[in-house]
Amino acid sequence: MTSPAAGAPRIPDVFDPRGYAQGLPHSAYRLLRDRHPVAWQEEHEVLGWPAGPGFWAVTRHADVVRVLKDARTFSSYLGATQIRDPAPADLPFIRRMMLNQDPPFHGRLRRPVGRAFTRGRIDRFETAVRDRARGLLTAALDDARAGSGVVDLVTTVTDDYALLNLADVLGVPPGERGLLLDWTRRVIGYQDPDESGPPASGPDGRPADPRSPAMLQDMFAFARELAAHKRRHPGDDVLTVLATDRELATPELEMFFFLLTIAGNDTVRSAAPGGLLALARHPDAYRALRTGAVATSSCVEELLRWHPPVLSFRRTAACDTELGGRPIRAGDKVVVFHGSANYDERVFAAPHRLDLARTPNPHVSFGDGPHVCLGAHLARLQLRVLYEETRELLPVLELAAQPRYLVSNFIHGLKSLELRLRPADGDRLPG
């Protein structure tokens, strides 16, 4: 692996998950973009997880887009897409996931999911999504009236909103839907003790990787049982499409269920409260949204830029190359940082100004290139509907406490968002 020259200037650490416990580390990102756009990061031992060989942190927008688009040079397959190296015995299993494959093999798996995630099928869910957003927000208002006026929108609205919408799309029976959130917390929140709980130990005494085959057997067993049920009782849902696709082998189906359950849930679960937090901190912008001065479509894009749900993705150099003036060797880990790219002054004018009418807005919150998020249309629909219902039902978004962020270098999540819900001057609370 490549490492920096002796005596090289100290650069900010953007690897440590604890560095994201207060939100995006903007000062570190800015320094990296300006002085070290492709910077070597030590992958030190942290939170009980062993040290790794290190990686290149890519923080400028143009370089991030190049890495994401150039799958021939920067591979998803060689070492998968998480910063930490998987155990060698687990890597063949992890490579079955579409996210961890390169073109053209990636396309064979993407096609059946593309058939499942048709615009028409997703649009048919809009009525249910809107009813759910309205119901959850109304219940939050009722809680505010009955109590102190303060509610946690993560636990009362956005967690359930993301989970139940995904369950509808997948076709998960109502009685089993809590499992989706449990699996998401286990896999996504493994770096945060509040989310993951005490980590299971592997045979070496180290924490067991929650993404390893041994730790996912309950999820895969459920996926097989649900697929068998869908073959007997087909419905208008994604799992029916996948379960009846003869080209998909059972292990591939299991990995699809894993990918859709985790990514499909946590993208909206992280982006939704992040967008509401931004609106609460920028009352003038929220007022513009409420009065119709800005369109919800551009609002969704700016809030995604402002609070990207995914912090980083890893690639592995397939050959010697150059990036940002630095020599990259075959086998080096190359990690793109979406949150930094979305605030790159070379692309976004006044990036720290929340501009709900910003256009163009080439953020990379859903990635780019062959692995651009397949469920982006569904995520945008859910976010648009949530913000539309919020502006109708919640006249004022006022922070009652500092938000609590997920301890993670992968997902930009919120564990709590306590808001004081009260009417604005001249407004009355619904009901």
Side-chain angles (χ1 to χ4, degrees), residues 189-421:
Y190 77 95
Q191 296 171 319
D192 190 315
D194 292 342
E195 290 282 294
S196 63
S201 296
D204 59 357
R206 297 278 192 173
D209 189 340
R211 297 167 180 152
S212 68
M215 299 297 290
L216 294 170
Q217 289 308 305
D218 55 340
M219 179 189 290
F220 293 150
F222 180 83
R224 292 191 298 270
E225 292 173 6
L226 183 58
H229 175 78
K230 294 298 180 181
R231 294 183 192 106
R232 296 191 302 269
H233 308 283
D236 183 21
D237 54 64
V238 170
L239 252 294
T240 295
V241 174
L242 297 179
T244 55
D245 190 314
R246 296 182 178 181
E247 294 184 15
L248 283 183
T250 297
E252 293 171 334
L253 177 69
E254 293 170 356
M255 292 304 282
F256 267 130
F257 185 78
F258 175 34
L259 175 62
L260 297 174
T261 296
I262 304 306
N265 185 20
D266 223 71
T267 299
V268 174
R269 183 178 174 236
S270 300
L276 294 173
L277 171 61
L279 294 173
R281 284 177 165 166
H282 297 83
D284 290 343
Y286 187 47
R287 191 174 301 112
L289 177 63
R290 290 194 67 230
T291 60
V294 294
T296 53
S297 57
S298 65
C299 169
V300 167
E301 299 307 314
E302 177 69 347
L303 294 177
L304 280 167
R305 182 192 72 84
W306 190 267
H307 186 102
V310 176
L311 293 165
S312 64
F313 260 119
R314 173 251 183 105
R315 298 292 189 265
T316 303
C319 57
D320 290 353
T321 188
E322 177 273 335
L323 184 66
R326 302 302 297 268
I328 310 296
R329 304 305 180 199
D332 282 3
K333 289 195 278 191
V334 178
V335 179
V336 299
F337 285 82
H338 302 260
S340 177
N342 281 0
Y343 285 81
D344 190 344
E345 300 82 357
R346 296 153 191 81
V347 176
F348 301 97
H352 291 277
R353 183 184 74 239
L354 185 70
D355 180 3
L356 299 185
R358 185 183 297 272
T359 185
N361 196 341
H363 64 77
V364 291
S365 295
F366 287 136
D368 206 330
H371 283 291
V372 67
C373 179
L374 194 58
H377 176 58
L378 173 61
R380 286 185 167 102
L381 183 154
Q382 293 177 79
L383 294 170
R384 173 178 59 80
V385 168
L386 179 65
Y387 299 144
E388 288 172 352
E389 293 301 314
T390 298
R391 73 180 180 186
E392 296 299 322
L393 294 169
L394 305 184
V396 174
L397 302 177
E398 180 184 341
L399 274 178
Q402 288 302 308
R404 294 174 60 240
Y405 288 88
L406 185 70
V407 176
S408 173
N409 57 19
F410 177 46
I411 291 293
H412 192 198
L414 285 172
K415 297 186 289 188
S416 70
L417 177 61
E418 294 187 5
L419 297 185
R420 181 171 288 105
L421 306 185

Side-chain angles (χ1 to χ4, degrees), residues 96-242:
R96 296 172 183 167
M97 186 183 291
M98 179 181 68
L99 189 66
N100 300 324
Q101 296 195 4
D102 296 328
F105 306 104
H106 153 269
R108 182 186 72 82
L109 293 177
R110 193 174 175 95
R111 282 190 293 273
V113 183
R115 290 194 292 269
F117 275 103
T118 62
R119 184 174 291 267
R121 174 173 276 114
I122 299 308
D123 284 344
R124 286 196 293 275
F125 283 98
E126 180 167 349
T127 298
V129 168
R130 189 172 298 280
D131 288 345
R132 180 164 292 127
R134 187 177 301 124
L136 290 168
L137 289 165
T138 300
L141 280 167
D142 291 341
D143 288 348
R145 287 195 193 95
S148 64
V150 175
V151 294
D152 184 349
L153 287 193
V154 170
T155 57
T156 61
V157 177
T158 56
D159 268 3
D160 284 344
Y161 181 69
L163 170 71
L164 297 175
N165 290 339
L166 174 68
D168 281 352
V169 171
L170 291 179
V172 175
E176 309 291 345
R177 295 181 172 190
L179 292 171
L180 303 183
L181 184 57
D182 290 341
W183 288 323
T184 300
R185 283 178 169 155
R186 184 199 307 173
V187 173
I188 294 298
Y190 77 95
Q191 296 171 319
D192 190 315
D194 292 342
E195 290 282 294
S196 63
S201 296
D204 59 357
R206 297 278 192 173
D209 189 340
R211 297 167 180 152
S212 68
M215 299 297 290
L216 294 170
Q217 289 308 305
D218 55 340
M219 179 189 290
F220 293 150
F222 180 83
R224 292 191 298 270
E225 292 173 6
L226 183 58
H229 175 78
K230 294 298 180 181
R231 294 183 192 106
R232 296 191 302 269
H233 308 283
D236 183 21
D237 54 64
V238 170
L239 252 294
T240 295
V241 174
L242 297 179

